[in-house]
Amino acid sequence: MPEATATAEPAKINGIPLHAPGEHLPQELLRQRACTELLRQQAQQQGLLAQDDPQPQDGATSAAATAAIEQLLEQALTVPEPSEDACRRYHSAHPTIGARGERAHLRHILFAVTPGVNVTLLRQRAEALLLELRCADEGGPAFAEAARKWSNCPSGAEGGDLGWLTREDCAPEFARDVFEGQEIGVLARLVHSRFGLHVVQVCARQKPETKPFEQVHEAVAQQLRHQTWLNALRQYLQLLAGEAEVVGIDLDAASSPLVQ
């Protein structure tokens, strides 16, 4: 179970509280909120977000802040194109990429659209959580903890785990978003289905029939771009933390751009 904060005073980023006084949050969730707030404030400094953007409530940022953070990351993170040699090495280590008979091990968090629900607020909450989880360390407990807290699906009790699924196991609109790409990790956009809005994590993909490198070159390159993007994001967050006044949480702040 993640360690929870027990301080009476809330943790803060440059004076902005991350939770209510006396509220106990798991450290992983607290770090996610801190990273989101670092990015929100940097978007304001870069002129991408209005200075009067409302402070997040219960970790939920405004729709404008979510869009501004995405724009900030597009500008700030450099993702070089992987070389063919790097792609070949990766394909040798992961020969099932792009193969037929695809299955995916999925976790999801469902924000159900039910009669009377405020869809705008629901989407804002889902988008805020999506951003938090994309900033979290992959493989950590953050996704499972969020699923238990927020998901309207019975799988939430199991950390959102749906197990191994094929296209045929899913609603067509859900399958299209999940299986048309080769992403691993928390998908960059909400997945919309007849049931509502989903934050989806692809834990693994399985390809029982392999294909030669020439046929899956782009899928391999996409996976390497994703890994490079995550590393660049972590370094960027460490630099922002090193320049910020951080109270009540250890973000392993960096004082140098040479973050490894």
Side-chain angles (χ1 to χ4, degrees), residues 171-214:
E173 65 275 16
F174 184 93
R176 181 175 59 251
D177 284 349
V178 170
F179 287 100
E180 284 189 355
Q182 292 298 321
E183 299 95 333
I184 299 293
V186 179
L187 299 186
R189 302 291 180 187
L190 294 175
V191 174
H192 295 247
S193 80
R194 65 197 68 181
F195 304 107
L197 308 174
H198 307 254
V199 178
V200 176
Q201 181 186 41
V202 181
C203 302
R205 295 183 185 271
Q206 188 177 77
K207 317 286 186 177
E209 298 179 18
T210 61
K211 293 183 179 180
F213 171 76
E214 288 72 20

Side-chain angles (χ1 to χ4, degrees), residues 111-127 152 196-197:
F111 290 82
V113 176
T114 56
V117 71
N118 187 319
V119 177
T120 299
L121 293 179
L122 188 74
R123 183 171 55 250
Q124 289 177 358
R125 173 64 255 182
E127 288 176 343
N152 299 131
L197 308 174

Side-chain angles (χ1 to χ4, degrees), residues 36-108:
T36 300
E37 183 57 24
L38 284 168
L39 293 171
R40 190 185 74 87
Q41 292 183 20
Q42 184 66 13
Q44 288 179 316
Q45 291 184 24
Q46 296 294 323
L48 302 175
L49 181 64
Q51 293 298 317
D52 60 354
D53 178 71
Q55 297 180 16
Q57 298 296 320
D58 294 328
T61 58
S62 67
T66 299
I69 289 172
E70 288 291 338
Q71 185 179 357
L72 171 69
L73 294 179
E74 288 179 4
Q75 296 177 2
L77 303 186
T78 300
V79 181
E81 193 66 19
S83 68
E84 182 170 337
D85 286 345
C87 290
R88 287 186 178 277
R89 288 194 300 270
Y90 191 87
H91 180 252
S92 295
H94 305 82
T96 60
I97 290 181
R100 296 177 180 176
E102 182 176 18
R103 294 195 305 161
H105 183 189
L106 304 177
R107 297 198 291 182
H108 84 141

Side-chain angles (χ1 to χ4, degrees), residues 5-12 15-25 27 30 247-249:
T5 179
T7 59
E9 291 297 321
K12 299 178 181 179
I16 302 299
L18 302 177
H19 58 89
E23 182 181 10
H24 292 232
L25 293 180
Q27 284 294 313
L30 191 59
V247 176
I249 182 172

